[in-house]
Amino acid sequence: MTGSHLRVAAAGPSSTVQDRGRIGYQRYGVSVAGAADPLLHAAANALVGNPAGEGAVEFTLAGDSLTVEGGPVRLAVAGAAALTVDDEPVPAWTSLRLRDGQTLRIGALREGVRGYWAVEGGFALAPVLGSVATHARTALGGLTGGALRAGDRLPLCLDTATDRGELTLDPSLLPARGDELRVVLGPQDDAFTPAGIAAFLEESFTVSHEADRMGYRLNGPAIEHARGFNITSDGIPLGAVQVPGTGRPIVLLADRQTTGGYPKIACVIGPDVAALAQKRPGESVWFRRIAPADARTLHARHRALLASLPSLLRPAGGFALTDSARMLGFNLIGGMVTGWE
């Protein structure tokens, strides 16, 4: 392998290359895949100057250890994980320029389930059906069709990082995520009794241990069917809430199957699917019904937020002169400073 690359010194439990997914092929039986949390995925890319949909690595619960071979290389991590470069602590949510031979170690997430790391310029990987997203069940995309392993070498599009200052993002500027999942009822809500729909909308549920990138099975009150639990198989959109014979709902995520034969009581809106994908087993959620028009408005706001991420970035270790609120947080006249404080 020639050119700059990253060697995986140690791999997290389930780290995969993801982008926006394999759009347009579900009709042929090909799962979409893509980032389970597009907002954090886009944030990692923004920090290194990439487009929002560039391929980045999604890690689960704990991250990877990466050694630069070539370079220098610019990386950034979005997620509440402790980071070190050559055993020295460095901040998350901030771009980092690493030299040849340096090792970035990404620790366990303090909150949430998934974090992301991106590299400036992206990975030099061949797209499969227009995407580098990994779908491990079918061995499509990514580096080898599955999770990263120790010893893997990820080729980079850039041989050297660009000459610029580093950027940081304050994660408190991103929307807070709670326990509420907003849903639009249907398309088969008529397959459930009024009592079943009331249980779905009025009771809380907890995430079971049957939770992965394909879907989250929830524990809670049984949702009563009106006339059995089998339907003619049809398409499965992101966030579809299937209810099999057990009455326990399953919310389908990025690696969902393309079709299914259980009735779907509702669909979780896209921004809230990402919030669910950050929930750990035992954590609670509840569903709130909204109108389709409101769902479209929320989707438009979410797209606008993704597009605005670059405007939320600030120079690392400095401040923007145009940001008066940030300037007021500095002591500009008292005492002496070095310029780095």
Side-chain angles (χ1 to χ4, degrees):
M1 184 180 292
T2 59
S4 296
H5 51 274
L6 292 170
R7 177 171 54 84
V8 181
S14 182
S15 297
T16 56
V17 177
Q18 299 294 342
D19 56 17
R20 284 181 169 171
R22 206 159 274 110
I23 307 299
Y25 294 94
Q26 190 168 344
R27 72 188 75 175
Y28 306 115
V30 180
S31 293
V32 177
D37 188 339
L39 180 59
L40 262 62
H41 177 274
N45 271 317
L47 284 163
V48 294
N50 291 344
E54 185 66 52
V57 171
E58 176 182 292
F59 61 91
T60 305
L61 296 177
D64 313 290
S65 294
L66 310 159
T67 300
V68 176
E69 295 182 346
V73 172
R74 179 170 285 110
L75 298 98
V77 177
L83 312 180
T84 63
V85 172
D86 293 345
D87 298 324
E88 293 295 325
V90 294
W93 302 98
T94 300
S95 63
L96 307 164
R97 197 172 192 261
L98 275 61
R99 302 185 304 275
D100 182 26
Q102 288 191 302
T103 297
L104 170 67
R105 291 182 173 85
I106 306 171
L109 288 166
R110 296 185 296 275
E111 59 185 44
V113 174
R114 294 174 173 87
Y116 296 84
W117 62 266
V119 59
E120 184 180 26
F123 303 115
L125 299 173
V128 178
L129 299 178
S131 170
V132 298
T134 306
H135 188 259
R137 282 180 171 83
T138 53
L140 282 181
L143 183 64
T144 58
L148 299 184
R149 298 169 296 180
D152 282 345
R153 300 167 82 193
L154 285 158
L156 308 181
C157 291
L158 295 182
D159 284 334
T160 185
T162 58
D163 185 14
R164 68 160 174 83
E166 305 308 328
L167 297 171
T168 189
L169 173 64
D170 180 353
S172 70
L173 298 176
L174 303 180
R177 284 152 169 189
D179 300 336
E180 177 187 272
L181 303 177
R182 293 161 291 188
V183 301
V184 174
L185 286 186
Q188 286 102 27
D189 53 307
D190 60 345
F192 301 89
T193 65
I197 292 177
F200 176 68
L201 294 174
E202 296 172 9
E203 304 289 340
S204 66
F205 296 82
T206 58
V207 176
S208 77
H209 287 278
E210 297 176 78
D212 59 17
R213 281 181 46 86
M214 185 175 181
Y216 272 37
R217 189 185 296 271
L218 305 179
N219 291 326
I223 298 173
E224 185 179 53
H225 297 85
R227 53 180 184 277
F229 55 86
N230 288 309
I231 63 170
T232 302
S233 292
D234 61 0
I236 301 291
L238 179 68
V241 185
Q242 283 190 322
V243 185
T246 62
R248 296 167 63 197
I250 305 170
V251 184
L252 282 306
L253 305 185
D255 282 359
R256 65 197 179 276
Q257 72 274 29
T258 57
T259 62
Y262 295 128
K264 295 172 286 296
I265 192 170
C267 284
V268 179
I269 68 170
D272 290 357
V273 173
L276 175 62
Q278 294 290 6
K279 293 287 186 183
R280 301 189 180 200
E283 294 187 328
S284 297
V285 297
W286 60 283
F287 298 99
R288 179 168 69 86
R289 180 183 183 179
I290 62 172
D294 294 332
R296 289 190 289 270
T297 298
L298 291 167
H299 274 280
R301 290 177 184 171
H302 188 68
R303 289 193 297 270
L305 173 63
L306 291 177
S308 72
L309 283 173
S311 70
L312 302 180
L313 304 180
R314 294 292 181 264
F319 57 93
L321 292 176
T322 57
D323 187 344
S324 59
R326 187 170 173 83
M327 287 182 66
L328 291 172
F330 288 82
N331 181 358
L332 301 179
I333 59 173
M336 297 179 63
V337 298
T338 65
W340 295 100
E341 297 175 351

